[in-house]
Amino acid sequence: TTTPVKVAVTGAAGQIGYSLLFRLASGALLGPDTPIQLRLLEITPALKTLEGVVMELDDCAFPTLAGVEIGDDPNVIFDGVNHALLVGARPRGPGMERGDLLEANGGIFAPQGKALNAHAASDVRVTITGNPANTNALIAMSNAPDIPTERFSALTRLDHNRAISQLAAKLGVPVTEIKKMTIWGNHSATQYPDLFHAEVGGRNAAEAVGDQDWLANTFIPTVAKRGAAIIEARGSSSAASAASATIDHARTWIDGTAEGDWTSMSVLSDGSYGVPEGLISSFPVTVSDGQWSIVQGLEIDDFSRAKIDASTAELAEEREAVKGLGLI
Ligand code: NAI
């Protein structure tokens, strides 16, 4: 028998958790032949709800689910984990300033980083979905000095998938025709979904669209503000699509990107494309043997330059704020 792969999920009793756990347990991340052990972290008041979710997981009798541990102590839940999906975060409440939001999330992601540092498996890979995802990832990474920095990444795959879907709909092609989509910058309204390097059926996507007005004034804002549009329509924030993207992200990190394609991941900047070193920013990346690398050598025109700079300036401000709070 194969040893189960240990996957931690935080915020497991939340909306995204309710979609994510069942897909993980059914083999969507590791395939049908690899047993998975779920290690689920919640805050104490949410443990009862989580027990109910675990009852439902039991009731699915998933062949690949080799066990479930739940608890409110990251030092216990992160023990031996190979993948950590950090979903639970503090949402912005009424009247909360950005500084308050960053501080509240620092109170979550700094101790979780420390707990991962002390207890996770030596091959741990950490995906941060909880918002503000990029800066939360920076906080977790900075509090885990013994884990290689390249093992931390934040989710911009949902934005990437949204961009693919919008472009496919515009051109009337299947999503499988679209390659080399890129989200640059922050997972926020300043993000830059880039069609100048994307391809549709082998052809440049911006040329295939042939409509700079649509690209600048419809496509980019539609992708960047999709989260708000979902809230408006559904009455709560995107959850199933966020869970699906979290699995896509973690699975690409394991399986790699296809030849002739890349994905978008928020990873530690080495200064590529003028993105300040040390920020966790979204880039075009290829993945091979479990290691990501930033795609090099893309030409960035003035339009793209301004968009990338605006989003990374926001990331730099967030970094200054959490530095000021002593979180990194
Ligand atoms: P939710 O509010 O339904 O669930 C969050 C859960 O996290 C709650 O059950 C809460 O008790 C738990 N939690 C809070 N602090 C915790 C801690 N210290 N340890 C463990 N659990 C803790 O929220 P939902 O809809 O599931 O979203 C989760 C996060 O994902 C939010 O921050 C949301 O903004 C973010 N998100 C990110 C996306 C992305 O593309 N990066 C897309 C959609 C959502």
Side-chain angles (χ1 to χ4, degrees):
T1 60
T2 328
T3 317
V5 174
K6 293 184 178 180
V7 179
V9 178
T10 71
Q15 274 208 98
I16 293 176
Y18 196 66
S19 188
L20 181 60
L21 301 183
F22 295 86
R23 294 204 46 211
L24 290 169
S26 70
L29 177 63
L30 303 163
D33 302 322
T34 308
I36 181 171
Q37 186 195 107
L38 291 175
R39 303 186 64 87
L40 310 179
L41 186 72
E42 258 296 348
I43 53 172
T44 318
L47 286 176
K48 181 155 184 286
T49 305
L50 186 54
E51 281 171 20
V53 178
V54 174
M55 288 163 70
E56 287 202 74
L57 278 169
D58 290 343
D59 294 350
C60 293
F62 286 119
T64 40
L65 184 58
V68 184
E69 290 279 326
I70 73 169
D72 57 7
D73 182 352
N75 291 300
V76 176
I77 292 300
F78 291 160
D79 187 45
V81 300
N82 308 103
H83 296 275
L85 308 177
L86 307 186
V87 176
R90 178 74 189 276
R92 192 186 290 244
M96 211 170 170
E97 299 292 330
R98 193 176 61 171
D100 303 332
L101 182 75
L102 292 169
E103 187 163 22
N105 280 291
I108 296 173
F109 288 87
Q112 289 185 2
K114 291 188 171 84
L116 286 166
N117 196 60
H119 302 286
S122 60
D123 68 348
V124 69
R125 286 179 168 72
V126 188
T127 296
I128 289 83
T129 295
N131 280 320
N134 296 57
T135 297
N136 288 341
L138 187 65
I139 294 169
M141 186 191 82
S142 305
N143 283 275
D146 303 325
I147 301 176
T149 52
E150 70 268 17
R151 305 286 190 74
F152 288 83
S153 68
L155 188 77
T156 29
R157 185 64 170 265
L158 178 56
D159 311 295
H160 176 99
N161 289 346
R162 286 167 171 166
I164 288 176
S165 162
Q166 292 296 323
L167 178 63
K170 167 78 175 168
L171 297 174
V173 301
V175 289
T176 47
E177 288 288 295
I178 296 173
K179 311 282 184 216
K180 300 186 177 177
M181 183 59 73
T182 306
I183 304 295
W184 298 89
N186 198 1
H187 168 70
S188 78
T190 68
Q191 66 175 266
Y192 172 46
D194 174 5
L195 292 189
F196 294 101
H197 301 99
E199 293 174 2
V200 182
R203 192 169 161 218
N204 181 275
E207 281 168 24
V209 168
D211 183 349
Q212 176 67 18
D213 179 62
W214 179 82
L215 187 158
N217 300 315
T218 302
F219 172 74
I220 293 174
T222 299
V223 173
K225 295 178 188 161
R226 186 72 165 177
I230 302 277
I231 293 174
E232 174 72 26
R234 205 174 83 86
S236 41
S237 60
S238 43
S241 54
S244 192
T246 299
I247 289 179
D248 287 347
H249 172 109
R251 201 184 50 210
T252 299
W253 208 348
I254 298 169
D255 292 347
T257 44
E259 188 63 38
D261 201 2
W262 63 58
T263 190
S264 304
M265 277 173 86
S266 287
V267 295
L268 185 63
S269 176
D270 59 357
S272 292
Y273 299 103
V275 176
E277 210 177 326
L279 294 178
I280 295 202
S281 177
S282 191
F283 286 100
V285 303
T286 53
V287 184
S288 162
D289 294 327
Q291 308 261 45
W292 53 262
S293 26
I294 298 172
V295 174
Q296 295 297 325
L298 303 179
E299 271 183 46
I300 306 296
D301 68 7
D302 290 346
F303 178 85
S304 295
R305 181 78 266 155
K307 299 272 183 207
I308 295 170
D309 288 350
S311 195
T312 58
E314 182 184 50
L315 284 172
E317 278 174 31
E318 291 182 12
R319 176 173 62 177
E320 284 318 299
V322 296
K323 241 187 214 163
L325 292 164
L327 294 166
I328 61 170

